[in-house]
Amino acid sequence: MLGYIVRRVLWIVPVLFFVSVITFVLMRATPSGPFDSFGAGRIAAPGVVAQLERKYGLDKPPHEQYLRWVGNLLIGDLGPSYKYRDRTVNDIVGDGIWVTVHLGVMAFALSVIVGIPLGVIAALRHNGVPDYLATFISVLGIATPSFVLSILLLVFFAVTVRWFPSYGWQTPAHWVLPTIALAGFPIAQIARYTRASMLEVTRKDYVRTAHSKGLKERSVVSIHMIRNALIPVVTILGPIFAFLVTGSFIIETIFSVPGIGRYFVLSIAQRDYGVIMAMVMLFAVTIAVMNLVVDVLYAYIDPRIRYS
Amino acid sequence: MWFKKFLGVFVALGLVLAACSTPGTSPSSEASDGASQPASEAPDVEQVLRVDLGGEPPTLDPTQATDSQSINVLRSITRPLAYYDENLEVVPGLAESWEISEDGQTITFTLKDGIQYSDGTPITADDFVFSWKRLIDPREAAGYSYIMADVVGGEDLLGVDTETATDEDIEALLDAFGVSAPDESTFVVELARPAAYFVYIATSWTTVPQQEGFSFAEADGYVSSGPMKLVEWEHNAQIVLEPNENWTAGPAPTIERIEMAMIQDPAASLAAYEAGEIDIAGVPTQEISRIQGDPELSDQVLQGDVLSIYYFGFDLKDPEGPFTNSVLLRQAFNEAVDKETMIATTFAGLGTPANSLVPPGMPGAQDFELYPYDPEKAKADFDQALADLGIAAGDLGLEVGFNTDANHEDKVAFLQEQWRQAFGIDVTPVGLEWGAYLERLESDPFDIFRLGWGADYPHPNNFLTDLISCSSGNNNMGYCNEEVDALLQEAAVAPTLEEQVPLYNQAQEMVMADAPIIPLRMGSRFTLVKPWIQNLVATAQDSNTGELFYDQVSVAAHE
């Protein structure tokens, strides 16, 4: 098991290398650079642009820039931000990452706490009213883009009834709306997976056996069904967790959450190269680690799976 | 951003629903008593102004600041030599007075007595020498370095090739740069040529005093020279300003605290206003009709001119291009556009039709219309122009460029339809993301392209010389008329505004006769202000309403 984990961790390195090269090439192939405009859509003087590019080493050949970036990365330096001139990428990521993780973890917890029971109930009352209700909720959740859900929450709970503030992250009251908005989609996703998976195990022999040997319904469901039904669900929990903790541009923008999720999109529009690279790498690392965690979890949930 | 379009629709929908569902409790109902008693400042009310910057300021370094968020904050926490009054007339800032020499080439500023930074250090003339040199130092690569071009040695510094120049070369040029401090309270600027508008440069946020070693990255250690000081900067969340106790260069602030939120999405900013969490908010175009129809909110609307212009330029750089070779064709494209209808339909009726460059609210704004909407005359001119050029209408193949993600699609579609109706030709709209758009403008300009311009300082020089003169870096049209340039230079030498304006007007009329652009709309603001916010002074120079004089706002009793 330990050997397996070590091998998997070592594999992450070449994956990250390819991700960084592809990102770097695509980023630099995009027309224009970080200094071509300033202010409200104003075009910078060519002399100023050239000076800035020299100042930040962007006039060097691309491979040299890439190597310098890798070198700095190895000593934990993500480089300067071209947009926020007095700040480094480390400052920006360091300020925002815990807010984003905080929001992501809360949304993840909410989606698991709501999503799994919703799926279980739907499956146990297959084709009954609770099933239809749960299915309706999850279809609605899947079909509603997060910006629609966010805006509806914002308008109703912040503007109309004023139970929660509309922007910011200062107090727990500020956390409520973004968490619900972010959890909307994963709740639906998890509920659907859980339901489908539960329905599948219902027909398994071991469930019939459990029933026929006289186990209580409660024990059958909790010991035999849910545990087995969760194996496929865990598969999607990994990527869901990775997506949630790396933040959402839309939700962080609408609720003015000071996280890093917004930089996924903003940094690209601003051609803030250092921030783009940092965001992509952060996402890649999170996905890779979460996939590993999921694979290891399999071994615990499913005794049939063994790694060597 | 792709989702913004939808966002607007949903916010509109959502807010309308909200408004319908709770008729008696709309956010502003408790505010009405404040409105009916203007200037009744209640001393027991917390004097806190809550505004929205619209995002994290990229920097609070005055030398480097180029965007509206940063400038908004800097207006309160720094102060240049000269400033504005509410009519945008230039008045003393940190300088008590200034004198312009007979030949117009030396300006001597005398600083006010006893002025200090927020940390108690005296502000001296040397601090201006330092910051002005820093602005033009090529190693700083400041976006606004060009405003120093008129100072002795300015052109040399702007032309430095930093690849080959050594630090010693640059230091030598900086030593020769025409700013000096003969004593602690006297700051002298030597100009390479008379530039009567130059005192306006001394109102810029980029020209405020600084000392070596100032740091701008965090609130802790930030040294302010303005009426307010920076006490808190929570990145991406909020900035808090409080009165600077060492401020003596003007009236003491009446406000005790300014809280600046950073709500990136305009629709979310409006929601925060309606939820009562901020006191001033801009209104996105798609929301304007709802606000106008709302009995409460429509009373809180503050409207006014903004010194900006929205225009489409013609490509005059291509020697073979039809627009380069035919003034008549450019005029025809102007005549075919019904600006009134365009503003009514695509700008929610906000703004005034533009017929020239200098916007209303700025000296030198003129009311003349060379190309009134006349599709028949346009068609006749169009046919004549094509006959002169020897091109068939079908061979024009015109491309109209615009940047996406900023709601220009409907404006371009409007123009496309106007030209189709008038001339029977189909132009091809090409929308590119901003960065890619800029690159196309430089490398291979569209035949017609969208651009805008906003004022750096309220003087016609900024809308004529800085935009349309032959050597201007902002002249993307490549328009060049030496007679116009000669007039602009003459205006720059004329000592008083009264003498300058007729020259600028003459130049402007000449430019419009050449029709290098289609001016469409002069800017306008549509802002909501809570009724309890008093003494808010909005000027046409503000990019955020009231930003020049936040410190003089007071808050009346409410709730």
Side-chain angles (χ1 to χ4, degrees), chain A residues 32 37-39 41-43 51 54 83-87 151 155 158 160 162 166 249 254 256 262-263 266 271, chain B residues 3 14 18 22 27 58-59 64 66 138 162-163 235-236 263-264 268 272 274-275 277 433-435 438-439 454 456:
Chain A
S32 94
S37 66
F38 65 82
R42 190 159 288 200
I43 299 163
Q51 282 160 16
R54 265 194 294 278
K83 168 79 177 174
Y84 303 95
R85 295 281 180 82
D86 305 311
R87 316 202 71 214
I151 290 291
V155 164
T160 308
R162 298 208 193 174
S166 71
F249 167 69
I254 292 177
S256 300
R262 60 173 80 183
Y263 288 109
L266 283 184
R271 305 283 191 275
Chain B
F3 83 99
T22 55
T59 177
Q64 294 293 350
T66 57
T162 46
E163 197 162 24
H235 292 284
N236 267 318
I263 307 174
Q264 215 147 28
E274 293 192 51
E277 294 170 57
E433 178 265 352
W434 177 247
L438 285 185
E439 193 143 298
D456 300 317

Side-chain angles (χ1 to χ4, degrees), chain B residues 216-557:
Chain B
F216 306 104
E218 305 292 338
D220 198 21
Y222 193 99
V223 179
S224 307
S225 57
M228 305 297 287
K229 65 178 183 188
L230 183 64
V231 295
E232 193 183 317
W233 184 0
E234 204 183 319
H235 292 284
N236 267 318
Q238 82 164 354
I239 277 180
V240 177
L241 309 183
E242 282 177 8
N244 170 3
E245 313 82 44
N246 292 319
W247 168 255
T248 55
T254 51
I255 202 79
E256 282 158 12
R257 189 176 160 89
I258 304 176
E259 295 175 357
M260 301 171 141
M262 303 176 189
I263 307 174
Q264 215 147 28
D265 187 79
S269 176
L270 178 59
Y273 178 87
E274 293 192 51
E277 294 170 57
I278 55 174
D279 297 323
I280 304 175
V283 179
T285 315
Q286 60 270 23
E287 296 282 348
I288 286 173
S289 59
R290 178 176 69 86
I291 303 292
Q292 283 167 333
D294 184 306
E296 300 275 351
L297 292 175
S298 57
D299 277 348
Q300 303 170 10
V301 171
L302 181 69
Q303 279 188 268
D305 290 327
V306 173
L307 302 179
S308 70
I309 184 171
Y310 186 96
Y311 68 92
F312 279 72
F314 294 111
D315 173 25
L316 309 180
K317 288 178 185 164
D318 174 9
E320 309 289 309
F323 291 119
T324 317
N325 296 312
S326 175
V327 182
L328 195 59
L329 190 64
R330 308 200 292 262
Q331 293 172 338
F333 272 72
N334 266 284
E335 288 154 352
V337 180
D338 178 0
K339 293 167 192 170
E340 300 263 358
T341 308
M342 179 172 189
I343 290 169
T345 54
T346 66
F347 287 99
L350 216 62
T352 36
N355 297 310
S356 57
L357 280 162
V358 179
M362 191 180 254
Q366 285 172 287
D367 195 15
F368 70 102
E369 192 173 4
L370 284 184
Y371 311 111
Y373 175 54
D374 185 349
E376 278 160 34
K377 180 168 187 312
K379 173 68 173 152
D381 288 347
F382 177 79
D383 289 340
Q384 182 61 46
L386 288 195
D388 294 346
L389 289 167
I391 310 178
D395 295 337
L396 275 173
L398 298 176
E399 278 189 341
V400 180
F402 65 99
N403 55 308
T404 50
D405 69 37
N407 291 326
H408 299 307
E409 287 79 358
D410 52 346
K411 285 88 181 172
V412 174
F414 184 90
L415 293 176
Q416 183 186 22
E417 179 60 15
Q418 294 261 282
W419 293 325
R420 197 187 60 75
Q421 283 178 7
F423 308 139
I425 60 162
D426 231 335
V427 296
T428 313
V430 182
L432 292 177
E433 178 265 352
W434 177 247
Y437 182 66
L438 285 185
E439 193 143 298
R440 264 295 296 272
L441 283 188
E442 288 300 315
S443 60
D444 174 23
F446 310 93
D447 303 291
I448 304 174
F449 46 85
R450 188 215 72 84
L451 279 175
W453 185 254
D456 300 317
Y457 50 92
H459 189 277
N461 189 62
N462 188 231
F463 266 69
L464 292 167
T465 317
D466 291 343
L467 185 58
I468 203 92
S469 62
C470 295
S471 59
S472 162
N474 302 306
N475 182 347
N476 287 78
M477 286 64 70
Y479 169 73
C480 185
N481 181 335
E482 267 141 35
E483 283 176 70
V484 169
D485 278 22
L487 276 169
L488 294 175
Q489 274 154 24
E490 201 182 322
V493 189
T496 66
L497 202 56
E498 288 71 43
E499 293 161 88
Q500 293 157 22
V501 164
L503 294 164
Y504 283 119
N505 285 351
Q506 217 182 323
Q508 168 156 271
E509 282 161 30
M510 226 181 252
V511 172
M512 292 325 298
D514 287 339
I517 65 167
I518 307 171
L520 288 168
R521 169 189 181 258
M522 299 301 192
S524 175
R525 82 176 68 250
F526 190 94
T527 312
L528 287 167
V529 182
K530 293 289 185 194
W532 56 79
I533 297 301
Q534 303 187 332
N535 306 326
L536 184 81
V537 175
T539 77
Q541 177 72 60
D542 305 8
S543 64
N544 272 330
T545 304
E547 65 180 18
L548 289 179
F549 306 104
Y550 278 163
D551 58 298
Q552 296 300 316
V553 164
S554 53
V555 182

Side-chain angles (χ1 to χ4, degrees), chain A residues 85-107:
Chain A
R85 295 281 180 82
D86 305 311
R87 316 202 71 214
T88 64
V89 179
N90 293 50
D91 290 340
I92 290 175
V93 173
D95 271 359
I97 189 163
W98 299 116
V99 174
T100 293
V101 168
H102 179 189
L103 172 58
V105 168
M106 287 197 303

